[in-house]
Amino acid sequence: MSLNATLLIQMTVFAVVVLFSMKFIWPMIMEAIEERNKSISDGLAAAEQGQKKLSEAETEVNALIKEAKQQASTILDQANTRASGIVESAKSEGTSEREKIISTAHDEAQQELTKLRESLRKEVAGLAISGAEKILTREIKPSDHKEMLDKLADKL
Amino acid sequence: MRLNFINKLLLSLVALFSIGNATAAEGTGCFGPTKEKEFTANEYISHHLSHCTVDSPLGPIHADSVFYAVFMAFLFLFVFYRFAKKASAGVPSKGQSFIEMIIEFVDEQVKDTYHGSSKLIAPLSLTIFIWVFLMNFMDLLPVDMLPKAGEMMGIKYMRVVPSADLNITFGLSITVFLLILYYSIKIKGVVGFAKELAFQPFGKAMLPFNLLLKVIEEIAKPISLGLRLFGNLYAGELIFMIIAIFTAGGGVMYLLDLGVLPLAIGQFILGLIWALFHLIIILLQAFIFMMLTIVYLSMAHEDH
């Protein structure tokens, strides 16, 4: 229970231990802690930055989508107008075509009719003549009465 | 001294219950056989309070205190150095996290109080905190374990708690005191420090009184630091010894003896209760020593 040389030894040991921990322990561990703190705070900042960029990109994307939608609807409108125009023009073309075909057919039919009527008339005339011939074979010579018969045929 | 008084009071209390009427004189020396005859309670205590003292050119040295203090210092340096060498900024291992937790705790205490630029204060505080805690922790080992082992190797006396030795606690507190003086002079200059001692707190007219007050204030710092730690640990150790009187150091060996078994159980229960209380004390004392060191050193840095 008395103070003696142990005190001096303890003071020396204490000084050595403190110097050692000051040189080789404290700075190394502190450095690791600070470095980790820094990397964590950097990471957090980067995450925040990313979040910000993400929201920015989102608004940009939204604007783009809106624009695209608008464009699409304009294009759709144009296409609709165009389509109805095409349908309209096709309709009118068809109508005119139809009329043309009909009139052509009409003309052809008319011609056919005329032709038929001509041949019919000739046949009737032939029949009439042959009938008359049978009746008048003796009295009328075809060569003598040809002029008169042609006139008759023309009249029929 | 108050502590001596407590010591004597406890010893005389013990003597009241002891059968013999031996004196409480502490033994000296270190090596040699322990006497074969059974101890009285009084002899048991004084035997346990005797240091293993060896002579040196500087005078007697408490070899046991020095050994355990140095051993604990090595333990501290070894563990912390191992983690310091491997310390990386990556994901820390559990051990590294634990060490970093302690370091950050100490760093926080230092930064809260001390605002100077010295690179010494923080590692100094860490050293004090851990080292003092480890030295205090020796108190939780069964009182007879290491001394009995020592006896078998021919060491007559052994005290295993270095911080229950005044030399060790004053060794710490006087070193801190020298640092207080060093920083006071370094920051304020010799003249500034002398002025602070002479002219505060009552102005130039009261110079002698100021000087007396200041010198006492400064000297009280290492004395209170050293005595506080010593007193707590010495008292704690003594109480463990008194509890151990139940079986007078027989400890576990008496568990087989039915006649003494109740005593052994009583010793175990009381020892357990006191150990649980003491666990708080040893941590608290280490923390207080560290905090006061930080406070004193930051006071030394303050220029008025």
Side-chain angles (χ1 to χ4, degrees), chain A residues 120-139:
Chain A
L120 205 58
R121 191 184 286 156
K122 274 177 186 164
E123 230 168 283
V124 169
L127 274 178
I129 288 170
S130 65
E133 242 177 305
K134 269 173 188 169
I135 300 164
L136 305 169
T137 323
R138 280 165 223 171
E139 301 109 83

Side-chain angles (χ1 to χ4, degrees), chain B residues 9-248:
Chain B
L9 185 73
L10 285 169
L11 282 175
S12 51
L13 268 176
V14 168
L16 266 181
F17 292 107
S18 63
I19 305 148
N21 55 351
T23 53
E26 286 174 20
T28 52
C30 185
F31 304 107
T34 319
K35 54 177 181 170
E36 292 299 319
K37 151 184 169 304
E38 209 160 315
F39 288 126
T40 64
N42 204 341
E43 280 170 335
Y44 175 76
I45 297 280
S46 43
H47 180 253
H48 268 286
L49 287 177
S50 303
H51 278 286
C52 167
T53 315
V54 294
D55 281 321
S56 78
L58 291 167
I61 289 173
H62 294 161
D64 44 4
S65 296
V66 171
F67 174 77
Y68 286 112
V70 170
F71 179 77
M72 286 305 162
F74 267 114
L75 189 66
F76 158 62
L77 292 179
F78 174 72
V79 172
F80 275 71
Y81 183 63
R82 246 181 47 140
F83 281 106
K85 228 169 38 176
K86 296 195 298 193
S88 72
V91 178
S93 63
K94 279 176 186 149
Q96 198 189 331
S97 296
F98 179 66
I99 298 294
E100 283 179 6
M101 200 180 77
I102 296 172
I103 297 241
E104 280 189 316
F105 169 73
V106 172
D107 194 47
E108 211 172 286
Q109 305 305 323
V110 172
K111 276 184 182 146
D112 278 352
T113 314
Y114 172 72
H115 304 293
S117 60
S118 170
K119 292 265 174 284
L120 176 72
I121 311 296
L124 174 80
S125 310
L126 175 75
T127 306
I128 288 174
F129 184 48
I130 302 298
W131 195 17
V132 169
F133 173 76
L134 288 175
M135 289 194 292
N136 292 352
F137 190 82
M138 293 300 289
D139 213 359
L140 292 183
L141 297 181
V143 276
D144 273 301
M145 195 175 83
L146 292 170
K148 270 278 183 322
E151 273 171 30
M152 286 170 193
M153 293 187 297
I155 297 167
K156 195 160 52 166
Y157 301 116
M158 184 193 285
R159 286 184 64 183
V160 297
V161 191
S163 44
D165 180 353
L166 263 184
N167 291 288
I168 299 296
T169 61
F170 273 126
L172 295 172
S173 66
I174 288 174
T175 314
V176 170
F177 179 62
L178 294 181
L179 281 173
I180 293 173
L181 293 183
Y182 169 74
Y183 280 115
S184 293
I185 291 169
K186 190 185 166 197
I187 302 292
K188 300 159 194 165
V190 180
V191 179
F193 186 45
K195 267 186 187 163
E196 193 186 300
L197 289 182
F199 300 151
Q200 283 178 9
F202 294 121
K204 291 180 187 182
M206 303 276 276
L207 191 141
F209 186 65
N210 286 340
L211 200 60
L212 184 70
L213 209 64
K214 275 284 180 184
V215 167
I216 288 174
E217 187 189 322
E218 291 302 317
I219 289 180
K221 285 175 186 174
I223 291 179
S224 67
L225 260 187
L227 279 185
R228 180 182 300 108
L229 182 60
F230 162 74
N232 275 282
L233 270 292
Y234 186 77
E237 194 190 18
L238 204 59
I239 286 174
F240 276 123
M241 285 173 202
I242 290 168
I243 291 170
I245 287 174
F246 271 80
T247 55

Side-chain angles (χ1 to χ4, degrees), chain A residues 2-87:
Chain A
S2 53
L3 289 176
N4 54 31
T6 316
L7 180 77
L8 299 175
I9 295 176
Q10 171 68 2
M11 285 170 73
T12 319
V13 174
F14 186 36
V16 171
V17 172
V18 168
L19 284 179
F20 188 89
S21 74
M22 188 172 89
K23 284 266 180 299
F24 301 110
I25 292 173
W26 187 270
M28 284 154 134
I29 297 180
M30 225 40 208
E31 200 180 309
I33 291 174
E34 269 158 15
E35 212 177 307
R36 185 174 321 110
N37 282 355
K38 195 175 164 292
S39 71
I40 287 172
S41 69
D42 283 356
L44 285 177
E48 207 170 305
Q49 195 86 17
Q51 205 81 26
K52 219 170 116 191
K53 270 190 184 156
L54 182 67
S55 71
E56 273 172 14
E58 245 164 31
T59 51
E60 205 173 314
V61 164
N62 280 342
L64 280 177
I65 287 175
K66 209 169 150 192
E67 203 180 319
K69 267 185 187 160
Q70 227 163 19
Q71 238 165 24
S73 73
T74 326
I75 289 172
L76 210 61
D77 279 354
Q78 280 176 353
N80 277 339
T81 345
R82 185 92 175 278
S84 62
I86 287 171
V87 167

